[in-house]
Amino acid sequence: SQQGEEDPQALSIQEGENATMNCSYKTSINNLQWYRQNSGRGLVHLILIRSNEREKHSGRLRVTLDTSKKSSSLLITASRAADTASYFCATDAGSTTGGGNKLTFGTGTQLKVEL
Amino acid sequence: DAGVTQSPTHLIKTRGQQVTLRCSPKSGHDTVSWYQQALGQGPQFIFQYYEEEERQRGNFPDRFSGHQFPNYSSELNVNALLLGDSALYLCASSFFSQETQYFGPGTRLLVL
């Protein structure tokens, strides 16, 4: 089952604009990660934020995490046509076996950046 | 440095058949996880292998089984295929204690 939902399901913007995607989840987490997927291919890891962090930056990406509201947002600034893809949030609740990595994904946001 | 590789890229099977998908992890990684992604959905965790043992399992029936070899590569086997097993199957690798996973390009399975 999906952990949560992304909002909006689809987003269309012009090149140069900012894109904001939101993610809600249901259970306590160790960390939350954002992935990008182009045209139904493999996922590319974008950024990870731990449960004790509130904000993180990586290049044009900014991620926030609000554990009290069980929500996160991904901001892509100055978007480019190459940013067109599906974006997924994934939560890692940790594991009693020691390894992490049982990621629970949201439903995804399809971003289209037009020239 | 090769990333995660999967084979085959595409596969067509009929209901009731069995299928084996293969994954080679990123160099140095010792943990392999498998995910199923139905069309229009996010990936769902199937199971994770470390030290040739299944360490965690998602909500998938016993028809889904796996194996990890001493060189850390892995196989996903699905028996008695159903139409609903049609999906993109993704393999991801990592170090056991590492939080970030690296995904392969996936195998697209179509069950007719």
Side-chain angles (χ1 to χ4, degrees):
Chain A
S1 61
Q2 305 290 155
Q3 161 72 296
E5 297 180 356
E6 270 113 319
D7 169 50
Q9 288 187 324
L11 180 61
S12 182
I13 60 174
Q14 298 293 313
E15 199 171 49
E17 294 181 336
N18 296 340
T20 299
M21 290 159 257
N22 303 297
C23 166
S24 62
Y25 59 92
K26 299 174 183 175
T27 63
S28 297
I29 61 171
N30 279 1
N31 65 73
L32 184 144
Q33 305 176 36
W34 285 89
Y35 285 83
R36 183 185 73 218
Q37 185 176 41
N38 291 82
S39 302
R41 296 174 194 160
L43 293 120
V44 175
H45 182 264
L46 296 176
I47 194 165
L48 178 152
I49 186 165
R50 294 188 172 82
S51 60
N52 61 353
E53 298 175 309
R54 293 295 168 259
E55 187 171 313
K56 204 161 184 179
H57 296 255
S58 176
R60 295 185 294 115
L61 305 179
R62 172 179 166 250
V63 170
T64 62
L65 179 64
D66 186 336
T67 54
S68 66
K69 295 182 179 178
K70 291 186 168 58
S71 67
S72 174
S73 68
L74 171 68
L75 168 68
I76 304 174
T77 61
S79 62
R80 306 165 182 168
D83 295 329
T84 295
S86 292
Y87 291 81
F88 294 91
C89 69
T91 54
D92 182 352
S95 167
T96 56
T97 62
N101 313 134
K102 178 184 175 180
L103 296 177
T104 304
F105 285 82
T107 50
T109 292
Q110 286 187 304
L111 173 65
K112 183 175 183 180
V113 181
E114 299 184 88
L115 296 171
Chain B
D1 178 24
V4 180
T5 60
Q6 292 186 244
S7 64
T9 55
H10 295 82
L11 204 51
I12 299 174
K13 292 285 188 179
T14 56
R15 281 178 297 175
Q17 285 190 312
Q18 178 264 344
V19 69
T20 297
L21 310 181
R22 295 176 176 83
C23 171
S24 290
K26 186 176 169 65
S27 179
H29 285 179
D30 54 13
T31 303
V32 173
S33 301
W34 287 91
Y35 294 82
Q36 180 196 65
Q37 185 177 21
L39 198 62
Q41 300 293 316
Q44 292 199 37
F45 177 80
I46 303 175
F47 43 53
Q48 179 186 83
Y49 276 84
Y50 170 67
E51 291 187 333
E52 302 179 48
E53 290 187 10
E54 183 182 291
R55 296 289 175 158
Q56 299 189 72
R57 189 177 182 93
N59 188 26
F60 279 80
D62 292 345
R63 297 188 298 110
F64 289 77
S65 63
H67 188 78
Q68 185 179 36
F69 299 94
N71 66 353
Y72 307 123
S73 67
S74 177
E75 287 182 350
L76 164 65
N77 301 292
V78 187
N79 294 323
L81 284 167
L82 304 174
L83 296 179
D85 294 331
S86 295
L88 180 69
Y89 288 85
L90 295 162
C91 167
S93 75
S94 64
F95 293 109
F96 183 62
S97 59
Q98 185 185 54
E99 297 158 311
T100 300
Q101 295 188 54
Y102 295 82
F103 282 80
T107 293
R108 191 165 294 282
L109 173 65
L110 177 61
V111 182
L112 301 175

